[in-house]
Amino acid sequence: MNLFVCRSIRSVEKDLVVRHKDEIVARYGPWTAHDIDLGHGVRTLGFDFEADKLARIVQIVADLGGAPFEQLRILDLGCLEGGYAVEFARRGAEVVAVEGRRANLEKARFAKEVLGRDRLELVLADVREVDVARFGRFDVVLCLGLLYHLDAPDCFELVHRMAELSTRLVVIDTYVGTGALRPFEHRGRTYWGRPIREHEPDASPEERLADLWASLDNPRSLWLAPGSLLNLLADAGFSSAFRCELPFEPDKPADRLTLVAIRGTRQALLAMPEASAALAQVRLPPLDRRRPSRKQRLSFILAERATRLVPKPIRRFAKRLLGRA
Ligand SMILES: C[S@@+](CC[C@H](N)C(=O)[O-])C[C@H]1O[C@@H](n2cnc3c(N)ncnc32)[C@H](O)[C@@H]1O
């Protein structure tokens, strides 16, 4: 095939992709978040958006997924326009992506078709109904930008369900409540969180659906306090959890975290066997109120400076007197 024919085919392909994309936009509105390179110089959103968040999630899965991408089964909850799901499918993973809004899911479907990703399954469903019986289990569960759109008790239940759905890794990217906290009971435990308005109370179901990044229907959501979210992960059966800071997301708000939770086996201590049972009862307070170590406290620094004003022989004498020489 000569160069001219190749170029002509590519230009016809590009026209088809652009026309199909225009149809999607006419029907469901423009892309709002996920920028996917479709080849032929065509992109979904058309500009970089939250590339650092995608880079962080890809790196976490590469580093902690426990197997090459092609061997991973990944669940993407609340997949929006499929940016994360498509990225992992392109890397060879088997991906199931669940989204509650057709307007978002059809954009993901378009990207899947253009890129020919057979191992990506797109499901229109409510994440509150996702369970092992229907979907099976996954090496990696992604819960990105979703948990803080659910109200109590759904947010608690989703964390318990993610523990059931995962064999290894759950990645949660979420806002957390840092003030005006209220207690909520769930399965006999108390968790603290901040209720946040999702929709105007009188918004119609259509208006709620049209808000493409928000909760599906609940007018209020619960932003769990960081300590309570960690307590909840422990209660759900995760064996360890980590806050990811590298790769960097320099503009991420201070009240938004990327947490990685591992579904491992809890280890009892061999050196101090009786301590394990006590450690299992430890609960974190909702907010971290720990003080810095002694040498960085103002009281210590001032006391140290004041001591230096006293002549050295007198200090030595006083130390001897106090038995600290
Ligand atoms: C803020 S967006 C985050 C999207 C994506 N995961 C990301 O990190 O870019 C929240 C997404 O979750 C979807 N969503 C919210 N509540 C849902 C529910 N109960 N079931 C299914 N999808 C839901 C929304 O439609 C939206 O696409």
Side-chain angles (χ1 to χ4, degrees):
M1 213 186 299
N2 71 31
L3 200 62
F4 175 73
V5 176
C6 273
R7 281 214 185 114
S8 305
I9 290 173
R10 260 190 256 132
S11 142
V12 170
E13 281 173 354
K14 177 176 176 175
D15 285 350
L16 283 174
V17 172
V18 170
R19 213 176 311 146
H20 191 176
K21 186 183 167 199
D22 289 345
E23 283 165 15
I24 299 279
V25 171
R27 192 146 182 213
Y28 299 107
W31 268 254
T32 62
H34 292 169
D35 190 38
I36 303 171
D37 185 345
L38 300 167
H40 314 287
V42 184
R43 291 164 67 171
T44 52
L45 187 65
F47 56 90
D48 289 351
F49 182 73
E50 294 189 344
D52 51 359
K53 182 174 149 209
L54 178 60
R56 175 178 285 186
I57 303 303
V58 168
Q59 196 61 53
I60 289 172
V61 176
D63 290 346
L64 299 174
F69 287 109
E70 312 84 64
Q71 292 170 26
L72 295 178
R73 186 159 193 260
I74 299 179
L75 174 64
D76 183 7
L77 295 168
C79 74
L80 189 61
E81 295 153 351
Y84 294 81
V86 168
E87 177 76 24
F88 286 110
R90 279 178 119 162
R91 289 165 187 270
E94 180 192 340
V95 183
V96 177
V98 178
E99 168 58 44
R101 287 184 168 84
R102 185 173 291 284
N104 292 335
L105 198 73
E106 289 306 323
K107 288 169 193 153
R109 200 181 306 287
F110 163 73
K112 171 191 159 148
E113 280 167 16
V114 171
L115 296 168
R117 293 293 127 189
D118 297 340
R119 299 188 82 207
L120 168 58
E121 186 187 349
L122 297 163
V123 183
L124 183 67
D126 189 324
V127 297
R128 292 167 292 190
E129 284 156 19
V130 171
D131 60 16
V132 179
R134 177 169 172 201
F135 290 91
R137 299 183 80 205
F138 297 85
D139 305 292
V140 180
V141 177
L142 302 177
C143 178
L144 313 173
L146 173 74
L147 192 62
Y148 62 86
H149 288 302
L150 301 182
D151 200 356
D154 297 323
C155 55
F156 304 124
E157 279 305 317
L158 184 70
V159 170
H160 279 272
R161 218 131 15 77
M162 287 196 293
E164 289 162 17
L165 286 157
S166 76
T167 55
R168 183 181 174 89
L169 194 70
V170 172
V171 187
I172 301 176
D173 192 88
T174 188
Y175 284 108
V176 285
T178 55
L181 300 175
R182 285 176 33 198
F184 293 81
E185 297 294 320
H186 186 71
R187 297 194 188 191
R189 300 283 202 179
T190 304
Y191 303 98
W192 293 79
R194 180 178 200 152
I196 298 278
R197 177 173 286 188
E198 282 277 334
H199 300 284
E200 293 299 325
D202 58 352
S204 66
E206 294 71 32
E207 285 169 328
R208 289 176 196 203
L209 263 190
D211 192 351
L212 295 176
W213 292 9
S215 72
L216 289 188
D217 46 28
N218 44 296
R220 188 190 78 162
S221 60
L222 184 64
W223 291 19
L224 283 165
S228 289
L229 178 52
L230 289 164
N231 287 337
L232 178 60
L233 290 171
D235 296 339
F238 291 97
S239 50
S240 57
F242 311 86
R243 181 170 175 179
C244 180
E245 294 290 357
L246 172 70
F248 306 132
E249 283 187 59
D251 299 327
K252 208 172 184 76
D255 58 351
R256 186 150 181 161
L257 319 177
T258 311
L259 283 178
V260 180
I262 308 276
R263 196 81 172 88
T265 308
R266 287 210 178 120
Q267 303 294 316
L269 293 178
L270 301 180
M272 293 171 274
E274 64 291 343
S276 297
L279 288 173
Q281 303 306 317
V282 172
R283 308 288 289 168
L284 289 180
L287 298 176
D288 192 345
R289 302 269 189 227
R290 285 174 295 183
R291 300 167 70 204
S293 58
R294 193 172 62 92
K295 289 201 172 181
Q296 294 215 72
R297 279 187 217 147
L298 189 60
S299 55
F300 180 86
I301 292 165
L302 292 177
E304 201 180 42
R305 283 201 189 146
T307 318
R308 260 188 251 130
L309 296 176
V310 180
K312 222 173 182 177
I314 299 179
R315 266 190 275 155
R316 276 210 204 106
F317 177 71
K319 267 190 187 171
R320 236 179 286 135
L321 211 66
L322 296 168
R324 288 170 54 203

